[in-house]
Amino acid sequence: MKVLLIGLCAFITAVGTVAYAAIDQESSVNKKVVILMGPPGSGKGTQAKKISEKLGIPHISTGDLFRENLSKGTPLGLKVKEYIESGNLVPDEIVVDMLIDRVSSDDCRDGYLLDGFPRSIPQAEALGKELGDNIDLVVINLEVPDDIVVKRIEGRMSCKDCGAIFNKYFTPPQKENICDNCSGELNQRSDDNAKVVGERLKVYHNQTAPVEKFYSAKGVVKTVDGQQSPGAVFNDLMKLFN
Ligand code: AMP
């Protein structure tokens, strides 16, 4: 009798394990991870918000996470301040730890959209380890030439209350420094100035452009012309998900 009971328990455990593994594998197969790449000022932030709403997956911007920490004066914020203000990349270990911690949250179980990560080959490799193979990965490259990027960044302003983005050259607000949507004050990011823009572009070409080649070799990169109007870019992006 005892042997029979032990046998039955072992059988139930084995069936449970197989079923759990099947469910687990199925959920990770369905996980959609979108990586939005492109130089600073290519419109990643604007498009990422819209794509994540449309696909129902969280938008994770490593730049936003750092800025949040900076404005709250957290130890992480103090650690990364100097890198951000000089236009350099935050060291890989710091950004990878922060990113892995964020994507381990419950809201990322079915997938997420990455904006501004990975920005170096070691970051791409760390993400690959975290994701494994059973993943629906789409990497989008928003192409914009350097001269346009410089104007976009130097002119960029965002509302400190609702986050709406304006550009003093291309899409100025009706009243100077006042948000059209909520009348909040418009701010310029501390790293959106002519001196830092040059450094950020140099860093992009030297360290981040190779990441696109890393994913191209895996056949997962789709390129979209980021010079078009935000609406036209979004239409092109949506075609990739139909
Ligand atoms: P972003 O808002 O994406 O342009 O990021 C602003 C700044 O945050 C960058 O210029 C870097 O200093 C830092 N940063 C954001 N994401 C990363 C990343 N993946 N790796 C290293 N530094 C980053």
Side-chain angles (χ1 to χ4, degrees):
M1 185 64 182
K2 203 173 164 192
V3 172
L4 203 69
L5 262 176
I6 292 172
L8 189 65
C9 285
F11 177 73
I12 291 170
T13 310
V15 169
T17 307
V18 170
Y20 179 78
I23 290 167
D24 196 41
Q25 196 183 13
E26 195 182 311
S27 64
S28 62
V29 165
N30 291 336
K31 190 174 201 160
K32 181 182 265 316
V33 174
V34 180
I35 298 176
L36 198 50
M37 295 197 64
S42 56
K44 296 190 299 290
T46 307
Q47 299 297 338
K49 282 191 189 80
K50 292 167 82 177
I51 302 171
S52 78
E53 260 169 40
K54 196 84 182 172
L55 300 183
I57 51 176
H59 164 207
I60 299 171
S61 153
T62 41
D64 283 350
L65 291 174
F66 284 138
R67 277 184 288 279
E68 232 176 87
N69 278 278
L70 265 175
S71 68
K72 287 183 188 155
T74 68
L76 176 63
L78 293 176
K79 226 192 263 182
V80 301
K81 188 173 191 299
E82 193 188 312
Y83 298 99
I84 294 179
E85 290 185 347
S86 61
N88 283 303
L89 291 189
V90 170
D92 290 331
E93 319 81 71
I94 298 179
V95 68
V96 167
D97 280 355
M98 177 182 76
L99 193 275
I100 301 293
D101 183 56
R102 174 65 187 90
V103 300
S104 306
S105 305
D106 246 16
D107 64 332
C108 293
R109 250 194 32 202
D110 296 334
Y112 45 88
L113 182 150
L114 294 175
D115 159 12
F117 185 97
R119 259 169 149 113
S120 69
I121 296 290
Q123 291 180 20
E125 288 170 346
L127 179 68
K129 258 197 212 149
E130 167 73 13
L131 294 176
D133 293 328
N134 294 324
I135 205 84
D136 178 6
L137 180 66
V138 181
V139 179
I140 301 169
N141 184 30
L142 276 183
E143 263 186 347
V144 181
D146 285 4
D147 55 332
I148 304 277
V149 156
V150 169
K151 272 197 133 174
R152 281 191 182 178
I153 296 183
E154 277 182 55
R156 179 159 68 182
M157 293 175 293
S158 67
C159 174
K160 69 178 181 40
D161 295 333
C162 74
I165 297 172
F166 298 85
N167 184 292
K168 68 178 176 202
Y169 303 114
F170 303 121
T171 50
Q174 282 168 9
K175 283 191 210 150
E176 202 178 330
N177 289 333
I178 303 289
C179 176
D180 288 355
N181 298 340
C182 73
S183 301
E185 189 191 335
L186 300 183
N187 284 337
Q188 189 174 40
R189 270 169 52 172
S190 61
D191 57 347
D192 276 357
N193 60 65
K195 198 166 140 242
V196 181
V197 169
E199 188 56 35
R200 286 165 68 199
L201 269 173
K202 209 161 79 190
V203 165
Y204 174 77
H205 289 298
N206 290 339
Q207 297 181 61
T208 307
V211 176
E212 194 229 312
K213 291 201 181 75
F214 171 92
Y215 288 117
S216 289
K218 297 178 188 293
V220 290
V221 177
K222 320 262 184 205
T223 296
V224 168
D225 176 5
Q227 272 195 86
Q228 310 172 84
S229 69
V233 173
F234 185 62
N235 280 344
D236 280 2
L237 288 168
M238 281 302 103
K239 286 180 201 153
L240 304 177
F241 298 105
N242 287 334

